Amino acid sequence: MINIDTFASAMFTVMIILMIVSVPTIFITVRSSAKTIKRYMLLRSVDKADGQIPTQLINEWSAVKTPIVYISIITEELEKLNGLKNITSQCTLAILISIVLWFCPGYEKSLQIPIIIADVISILTIIYGRFYRSVYKQEYLRILKETSEEHEFGAADSMYG
């Protein structure tokens, strides 16, 4: 027979691990995606810019200028954003575990405030991640569509058959 105190302790450990892993991952992935969008939009504007452009930007744009490379980079970013679904599910599971622990007899009352704070941070992270994931996915899809339309071959279609 499982001891209730042992069960509560094990569930608490699982909850903390899920929160420690998922919350920073959501922030880092969304922030990285924002930086990547800005960078590749800047790179796409290199051809249209008339002023002085740093040499490293010109070299980077020359490396990714082909539609296949550019589309594969954007597709990779889309896959990263789609991977956030699993991580937000883990964060949601951690919140549900903390709610269940409130009703376990082995739950210590001294942990209530830190757990409430962790739950609020997790909820805000889930909202932040879901909102910006959809915004950035739409932006990446728009860039992907523009890139595909710029080339008469339909680079995205030829890349994936």
Side-chain angles (χ1 to χ4, degrees):
M1 179 112 179
I2 296 177
N3 186 353
I4 296 295
D5 292 336
T6 306
F7 174 75
S9 176
M11 293 305 288
F12 181 76
T13 304
V14 168
M15 176 197 67
I16 293 299
I17 290 172
L18 287 174
M19 283 183 181
I20 288 173
V21 169
S22 60
V23 170
T25 303
I26 292 170
F27 277 120
I28 290 169
T29 304
V30 170
R31 185 68 185 138
S32 170
S33 185
K35 287 181 180 180
T36 304
I37 280 179
K38 289 177 186 174
R39 179 154 197 82
Y40 286 109
M41 289 180 76
L42 174 68
L43 286 175
R44 284 179 56 85
S45 68
V46 164
D47 288 337
K48 301 170 189 169
D50 295 331
Q52 291 187 5
I53 300 167
T55 309
Q56 68 190 53
L57 277 180
I58 293 173
N59 292 341
E60 186 175 350
W61 179 236
S62 298
V64 299
K65 193 171 186 175
T66 61
I68 300 297
V69 173
Y70 193 70
I71 288 171
S72 66
I73 289 171
I74 291 173
T75 305
E76 182 180 318
E77 289 298 318
L78 282 169
E79 289 172 359
K80 286 180 187 176
L81 289 174
N82 284 333
L84 283 179
K85 287 181 182 180
N86 296 333
I87 297 168
T88 54
S89 297
Q90 288 177 355
C91 201
T92 304
L93 179 64
I95 294 168
L96 292 175
I97 289 172
S98 72
I99 292 170
V100 168
L101 285 177
W102 276 79
F103 302 107
C104 286
Y107 186 72
E108 293 196 23
K109 303 300 180 192
S110 63
L111 294 175
Q112 287 179 345
I113 292 177
I115 296 302
I116 290 172
I117 292 170
D119 284 346
V120 168
I121 291 171
S122 297
I123 290 169
L124 292 175
T125 302
I126 290 170
I127 293 168
Y128 171 80
R130 285 186 179 170
F131 176 75
Y132 282 108
R133 181 187 66 187
S134 67
V135 168
Y136 293 148
K137 277 177 64 174
Q138 293 301 321
E139 189 66 27
Y140 279 128
L141 290 172
R142 186 186 61 76
I143 292 171
L144 196 61
K145 183 179 177 186
E146 286 176 4
T147 304
S148 182
E149 288 174 354
E150 285 176 3
H151 300 83
E152 68 243 16
F153 301 113
D157 296 335
S158 65
M159 183 175 168
Y160 291 107

